[in-house]
Amino acid sequence: MIARRGVRGLRVGELAAEAGVSTSLIYYHFTDRAGILRRTLEFISDRADRYTAERDPGQGLGPDPVDPRTELAQVLLLELQDTPEVRENSTAWGELRASAVFDADLREDVAKATHTWVHEIADLLAHARPTGTAPAHAAAAERLTALLEGLSVRWLSGSLPLEHARALLADAIEAELDHA
Amino acid sequence: MIARRGVRGLRVGELAAEAGVSTSLIYYHFTDRAGILRRTLEFISDRADRYTAERDPGQGLGPDPVDPRTELAQVLLLELQDTPEVRENSTAWGELRASAVFDADLREDVAKATHTWVHEIADLLAHARPTGTAPAHAAAAERLTALLEGLSVRWLSGSLPLEHARALLADAIEAELDHA
DNA sequence: GTCTATAATACGATAGAC
DNA sequence: GTCTATCGTATTATAGAC
């Protein structure tokens, strides 16, 4: 519902109706409106981890059969796709990030999820570019993920076609890999 | 008020109280809540143009006394500053962008403002890097401005210290300039 | 242009039964 | 765990006087 209507547009009553339960049952399980946001953040973080891990499910023979550079590009470009699950995750993530600007309760969890994500990308960079230093990998990961977030919200807000966003990100990944 | 409380947190009554007028006078001038958002977008676009033009007010002797590369970096880094005006503009811009995801009325105006901004940066890039092609400048401008938006919301949501954001952007600008 | 007053309803949250 | 019923208030928007 957050992905469809935004955090702004989330109505506890509507959420209950969509789930086919009463409003008070939502409060029983989530305590209050802020609880819904917290649990949504957990949900989309877990789901993003899951579909990142499950990408390319057709192989599975032998360890790490994919070129590390390709793997990095796949993982990042995965977030710029017009499938229901990815679009939903990206939209909700953008909403929670934007809400965190005004919601101190959310800030800490959003920062933590960001940190985890940046770290994952930095690890992939370290495999793709073994000569670089750890701080250089961390900085590149921060640039690439921040760029991805910027492109994502432009896509979702209708300022940038999806394919164009993907091309821009792909070029940035390549540039980071060829740099150091 | 949008910068302080967010679009979510904007209350027409509060806005009126802050202005020292009645609620209905707000409706007289802005028609409805959406009108406030539209006019805010105009306001921050105009103001961003203004402070971009007025940056570096100390000189004014001779045409274009600043190195084009320095000028590009100045214009972009200007948006990552903890001054009241810039923080207000960045926060409001982020809010309007995020709102546009769910608000079709806002989408067109946000896309237009984005396009104008990207074009300005592309022009600066053309001066700083005369050998590149126009499409390459446009793409670099899109990457840099999208990165800036991504870094900005991370800063404002407490996921990234301001100085760190500035350093990441500065490095990206340098990389784009050294690339083509 | 500006106000007071208020309609109309939406919304978060709780009480209390089962 | 789940429901019905409802409280209390916040909020957008309008009517109508000046």
Side-chain angles (χ1 to χ4, degrees):
Chain A
M1 285 225 51
I2 288 172
R4 263 204 320 275
R5 326 268 290 212
V7 167
R8 298 165 181 73
L10 173 67
R11 300 290 169 254
V12 182
E14 265 182 65
L15 176 63
E18 175 112 353
V21 299
S22 68
T23 302
S24 49
L25 190 59
I26 302 294
Y27 283 97
Y28 177 80
H29 284 291
F30 294 93
T31 306
D32 56 12
R33 203 174 179 283
I36 301 172
L37 303 189
R38 275 194 306 276
R39 301 271 294 266
T40 302
L41 182 52
E42 286 174 35
F43 175 78
I44 62 173
S45 297
D46 290 352
R47 191 165 68 170
D49 285 350
R50 179 159 46 78
Y51 67 56
T52 297
E54 282 169 5
R55 131 201 63 98
D56 234 343
Q59 37 190 35
L61 291 176
D64 205 3
V66 179
D67 169 37
R69 294 172 62 112
T70 308
E71 192 182 7
L72 175 70
Q74 276 182 0
V75 167
L76 289 172
L77 287 167
L78 199 63
E79 312 284 337
L80 289 177
Q81 279 190 116
D82 201 1
T83 64
E85 213 176 43
V86 167
R87 192 183 183 112
E88 201 175 273
N89 254 46
S90 294
T91 308
W93 174 250
E95 276 293 288
L96 291 169
R97 160 84 69 204
S99 300
V101 174
F102 304 98
D103 181 342
D105 286 347
L106 223 43
R107 267 203 282 275
E108 195 181 343
D109 290 338
V110 169
K112 202 171 184 174
T114 304
H115 182 262
T116 302
W117 183 34
V118 168
H119 203 91
E120 285 167 12
I121 300 301
D123 280 351
L124 289 177
L125 270 160
H127 281 93
R129 204 177 62 177
T131 54
T133 66
H137 293 145
E142 281 173 318
R143 279 192 297 269
L144 287 174
T145 55
L147 173 62
L148 173 46
E149 284 186 1
L151 292 172
S152 178
V153 69
R154 284 197 186 182
W155 161 43
L156 295 167
S157 64
S159 291
L160 189 66
L162 179 59
E163 280 310 316
H164 195 162
R166 288 177 62 88
L168 291 169
L169 180 59
D171 287 350
I173 295 167
E174 207 180 323
E176 291 283 0
L177 285 173
D178 293 345
H179 186 59
Chain B
M1 286 225 48
I2 289 174
R4 266 205 319 276
R5 326 267 289 212
V7 167
R8 294 168 188 72
L10 173 68
R11 300 289 168 254
V12 181
E14 264 182 67
L15 176 62
E18 175 110 352
V21 300
S22 67
T23 301
S24 49
L25 191 59
I26 302 295
Y27 283 97
Y28 177 79
H29 284 291
F30 295 93
T31 307
D32 57 12
R33 204 173 179 283
I36 301 172
L37 303 188
R38 274 193 305 276
R39 303 271 295 263
T40 302
L41 182 51
E42 285 173 34
F43 175 79
I44 62 173
S45 297
D46 291 352
R47 189 164 71 170
D49 285 350
R50 179 158 47 78
Y51 68 55
T52 298
E54 281 169 5
R55 131 201 64 99
D56 234 344
Q59 35 189 40
L61 292 174
D64 205 4
V66 179
D67 170 35
R69 293 172 63 111
T70 309
E71 192 183 5
L72 176 70
Q74 277 181 0
V75 168
L76 288 172
L77 287 167
L78 199 63
E79 312 284 338
L80 288 177
Q81 278 190 118
D82 202 0
T83 64
E85 214 176 41
V86 167
R87 194 185 180 109
E88 204 175 271
N89 255 45
S90 295
T91 308
W93 173 250
E95 277 292 289
L96 291 169
R97 160 84 68 204
S99 300
V101 175
F102 304 97
D103 182 342
D105 286 347
L106 224 42
R107 267 203 282 274
E108 194 180 344
D109 290 338
V110 168
K112 202 171 183 173
T114 305
H115 182 261
T116 301
W117 183 34
V118 168
H119 203 92
E120 285 167 11
I121 299 301
D123 280 351
L124 289 177
L125 270 160
H127 282 93
R129 204 177 61 177
T131 54
T133 65
H137 293 145
E142 281 173 318
R143 279 192 297 269
L144 287 174
T145 54
L147 173 62
L148 173 46
E149 284 186 2
L151 292 172
S152 179
V153 68
R154 284 196 186 183
W155 161 43
L156 295 167
S157 64
S159 291
L160 189 66
L162 179 60
E163 281 311 316
H164 194 162
R166 289 177 62 89
L168 290 170
L169 180 59
D171 288 350
I173 295 168
E174 208 181 322
E176 291 282 0
L177 286 173
D178 292 346
H179 186 59

